[in-house]
Amino acid sequence: MTTYYNEHSKVFVSVDCIIFGFEDKKLKVLLGKRKMDPGRGEWSLYGGFVEENESLDDAANRVLLELTGLKNIYMKQVGAFGAIDRDPGERVISVAYCALINVKDYDEELREEHQVEWINIKDIPELYSDHNDMVNKAITLLRRRISSEPLSFNLLPDLFTLTQLQHVYEAVLDDNIDKRNFRKRIKTIEYIEKTDRIDKITSKRGAALYRFNKEAYMEDPIFKL
Amino acid sequence: MTTYYNEHSKVFVSVDCIIFGFEDKKLKVLLGKRKMDPGRGEWSLYGGFVEENESLDDAANRVLLELTGLKNIYMKQVGAFGAIDRDPGERVISVAYCALINVKDYDEELREEHQVEWINIKDIPELYSDHNDMVNKAITLLRRRISSEPLSFNLLPDLFTLTQLQHVYEAVLDDNIDKRNFRKRIKTIEYIEKTDRIDKITSKRGAALYRFNKEAYMEDPIFKL
DNA sequence: CCAAAAGTGTTCCGTCTACACCCATGG
DNA sequence: CCATGGGTGTAGACGGAACACTTTTGG
């Protein structure tokens, strides 16, 4: 093996996942208590080390799969965190990734098995290492992007009501939205399609179910809400 | 030394700098030909390895200082690049950083000594490894941010004319801007202050010089242009 | 005297915001 | 029959876009 860079030092690289879910009209993050040293017992994001045979993105997807059993999930890099002493054990540079999942797709047993919990973003405790910074940066990015990219649908089932969709925006942006104005805007977006299905769970009258037509969006990928 | 993570592998981590400058009404990037193997002779960003005694941000600032002699420069992380084979030599994960400098602050001799050149972003050649991806991502971020953060001033001298400022926006956004509308918006921004100095270099009539009052901005850091 | 860049207002149009009532149904 | 959430339109305010001429002065 040719060794070009021997005079330099190698470091551990990890990935940490900020996994967002939407439940009970609130934006939540998956957090657990660390099951290893250093930092055993502290609240923490779920993460893992990057191995030789995988890219950063692959590592993030593997970690997400390990935890949730879910594949082909929306994931985006949040940034690299590289303070010297960020990890109390050894030098570890970590790359944070943000994922958006539909809470109902996550098997409850698997969640309990990994001992992670959905924590409201307004009630996030002090976390291990710099994980609070990671979560805050992820929230900032999510807020900035949710109005210019069709991200919200990742937090909902395939079929959703307009009220649910509005609640997602209200939870992410932490602000109230006028119902009529919201629905007016949705009507102008062709690829948010009304289906003939009716949701009777959350209302007596029943609410029309909509779907995001990804193919139609892809033909003209412009999103503004 | 306690070793917690021995079962995992370490990798080299580098930083690469996308250094933007504004010259001749154009947005440019500092590029040079690689002076080491692998990839010797290929066009490339300027970079360096992250050492044990420095954070990622420190490493990026050190590399920038090595190249330009400049300190306290606006720098922002662009993202981590971690494909397995991105470096043809060995596994190297690289974190890209974007810097904005005033071209006139960069000593020409130092520039020639390092054999780097200002290349118009419209004429960027094929670059080493994934450096084209890094540059493209940096440009995308810069475009997104220049209208909501006071970045443009970093590309200009302390005193600048409104025409110069407009040219910066036109170069970054690659679009023409209406002069009257532009100046109207500038007038509403209190912390872009007209000075009593006149620039007689680029016009016979002379143009008023303005400055960005960072202290005034910091008191109420809202920027919208 | 003329070329070259600086400087300056108004009108129009589209977009965003505020706002309140009726509808359908399950219990 | 009533409590609960679903669904609908209009008017006024505001902000962005289009647009052309006068001023100054060095050469």
Side-chain angles (χ1 to χ4, degrees):
Chain A
M1 176 180 158
T2 323
T3 50
Y4 289 101
Y5 310 130
N6 275 343
E7 71 268 34
H8 302 288
S9 52
K10 290 182 167 189
V11 296
F12 291 111
V13 176
S14 66
V15 294
D16 287 299
C17 294
I18 301 106
I19 302 166
F20 289 107
F22 175 71
E23 191 184 42
D24 193 24
K25 300 190 191 178
K26 291 176 182 63
L27 184 65
K28 301 188 176 181
V29 181
L30 270 185
L31 296 175
K33 299 213 175 163
R34 254 177 93 86
K35 283 176 278 184
M36 63 170 87
D37 281 316
R40 189 185 296 270
E42 291 182 46
W43 282 101
S44 162
L45 293 169
Y46 196 82
F49 285 90
V50 178
E51 306 299 344
E52 284 180 0
N53 61 346
E54 60 184 4
S55 68
L56 281 172
D57 290 357
D58 289 345
N61 281 297
R62 169 179 57 77
V63 166
L64 183 74
L65 179 66
E66 272 172 30
L67 180 63
T68 64
L70 301 173
K71 278 192 145 180
N72 299 319
I73 292 296
Y74 174 87
M75 268 204 133
K76 194 116 185 172
Q77 193 188 112
V78 170
F81 291 74
I84 297 173
D85 295 324
R86 57 172 296 285
D87 190 287
E90 295 190 48
R91 177 87 199 258
V92 181
I93 287 170
S94 187
V95 182
Y97 278 81
C98 156
L100 303 180
I101 73 171
N102 173 23
V103 170
K104 287 173 202 146
D105 289 343
Y106 188 8
D107 184 63
E108 271 290 300
E109 283 183 36
L110 196 56
R111 187 185 62 68
E112 281 169 17
E113 194 180 305
H114 283 99
Q115 294 174 277
V116 291
E117 294 175 32
W118 288 112
I119 308 287
N120 186 337
I121 58 160
K122 296 194 170 187
D123 303 324
I124 290 175
E126 188 177 333
L127 303 178
Y128 171 76
S129 181
D130 51 8
H131 288 193
N132 285 97
D133 297 335
M134 294 180 178
V135 172
N136 289 333
K137 189 165 180 197
I139 292 173
T140 302
L141 283 180
L142 179 58
R143 287 200 173 132
R144 203 179 288 164
R145 286 177 180 155
I146 199 170
S147 300
S148 56
E149 291 173 54
L151 306 180
S152 44
F153 312 108
N154 295 297
L155 292 165
L156 290 172
D158 285 346
L159 295 177
F160 51 86
T161 68
L162 293 188
T163 302
Q164 282 177 292
L165 187 64
Q166 180 174 344
H167 287 328
V168 169
Y169 280 89
E170 289 179 331
V172 171
L173 300 174
D174 191 24
D175 205 0
N176 295 323
I177 298 174
D178 181 275
K179 184 168 53 157
R180 277 178 291 189
N181 291 337
F182 182 79
R183 294 163 104 98
K184 210 188 307 170
R185 271 176 281 158
I186 297 295
K187 275 205 197 103
T188 66
I189 304 177
E190 324 78 54
Y191 48 79
I192 302 181
E193 300 171 346
K194 191 175 191 167
T195 68
D196 54 5
R197 310 271 318 263
I198 305 282
D199 170 77
K200 299 282 280 182
I201 298 167
T202 50
S203 104
K204 295 167 181 180
R205 175 176 171 174
L209 286 164
Y210 287 71
R211 65 183 283 271
F212 170 59
N213 185 334
K214 191 168 182 182
E215 293 71 38
Y217 167 74
M218 282 307 180
E219 283 175 25
D220 182 22
I222 293 171
F223 187 84
K224 202 86 222 130
L225 200 131
Chain B
M1 174 180 160
T2 323
T3 50
Y4 289 101
Y5 309 130
N6 275 343
E7 71 267 35
H8 302 288
S9 53
K10 291 182 167 189
V11 297
F12 291 112
V13 176
S14 66
V15 294
D16 287 300
C17 294
I18 301 106
I19 302 166
F20 289 107
F22 175 72
E23 191 184 42
D24 194 24
K25 299 190 190 179
K26 290 175 182 64
L27 184 65
K28 302 186 175 182
V29 180
L30 270 184
L31 296 174
K33 299 214 176 164
R34 253 177 94 85
K35 283 176 279 185
M36 62 171 90
D37 282 316
R40 189 185 296 269
E42 292 181 46
W43 282 101
S44 162
L45 292 168
Y46 196 82
F49 285 90
V50 177
E51 306 298 343
E52 285 180 0
N53 62 345
E54 60 185 4
S55 68
L56 281 172
D57 290 356
D58 288 346
N61 280 296
R62 169 179 57 76
V63 166
L64 183 73
L65 180 65
E66 271 172 30
L67 180 64
T68 65
L70 300 173
K71 279 191 144 182
N72 298 319
I73 292 296
Y74 174 88
M75 269 203 133
K76 193 115 184 172
Q77 193 187 112
V78 170
F81 290 73
I84 297 173
D85 295 325
R86 57 172 296 285
D87 189 289
E90 294 190 47
R91 177 86 198 259
V92 181
I93 287 170
S94 188
V95 181
Y97 278 80
C98 154
L100 303 179
I101 73 171
N102 173 22
V103 171
K104 285 172 202 144
D105 289 343
Y106 188 7
D107 184 63
E108 269 291 300
E109 284 183 34
L110 196 56
R111 188 185 62 69
E112 282 169 16
E113 196 179 304
H114 283 99
Q115 295 173 276
V116 290
E117 295 176 33
W118 287 112
I119 307 288
N120 185 337
I121 57 160
K122 297 194 170 188
D123 303 324
I124 291 175
E126 187 178 335
L127 303 178
Y128 171 75
S129 180
D130 51 6
H131 287 194
N132 286 98
D133 297 336
M134 294 180 178
V135 172
N136 289 333
K137 187 164 181 197
I139 292 172
T140 301
L141 283 180
L142 179 58
R143 286 199 174 134
R144 202 179 289 166
R145 286 176 179 156
I146 200 170
S147 300
S148 57
E149 290 175 54
L151 306 179
S152 45
F153 312 108
N154 294 298
L155 292 165
L156 290 172
D158 286 345
L159 295 177
F160 52 85
T161 68
L162 293 189
T163 302
Q164 283 177 290
L165 187 64
Q166 181 175 342
H167 287 328
V168 168
Y169 281 89
E170 290 179 331
V172 172
L173 300 174
D174 192 25
D175 206 0
N176 294 325
I177 298 174
D178 181 273
K179 183 166 55 155
R180 278 179 290 188
N181 291 337
F182 183 79
R183 293 162 107 97
K184 209 187 308 169
R185 272 176 281 159
I186 297 294
K187 274 205 198 102
T188 66
I189 303 177
E190 324 78 54
Y191 50 78
I192 302 180
E193 299 172 345
K194 191 175 192 169
T195 68
D196 54 4
R197 311 270 316 265
I198 304 283
D199 169 77
K200 299 282 281 182
I201 298 166
T202 48
S203 105
K204 295 167 180 178
R205 175 176 172 176
L209 285 163
Y210 287 72
R211 64 183 284 271
F212 170 59
N213 186 334
K214 190 170 181 179
E215 294 70 39
Y217 167 73
M218 282 307 181
E219 282 175 25
D220 183 23
I222 293 170
F223 186 84
K224 203 84 223 131
L225 199 128

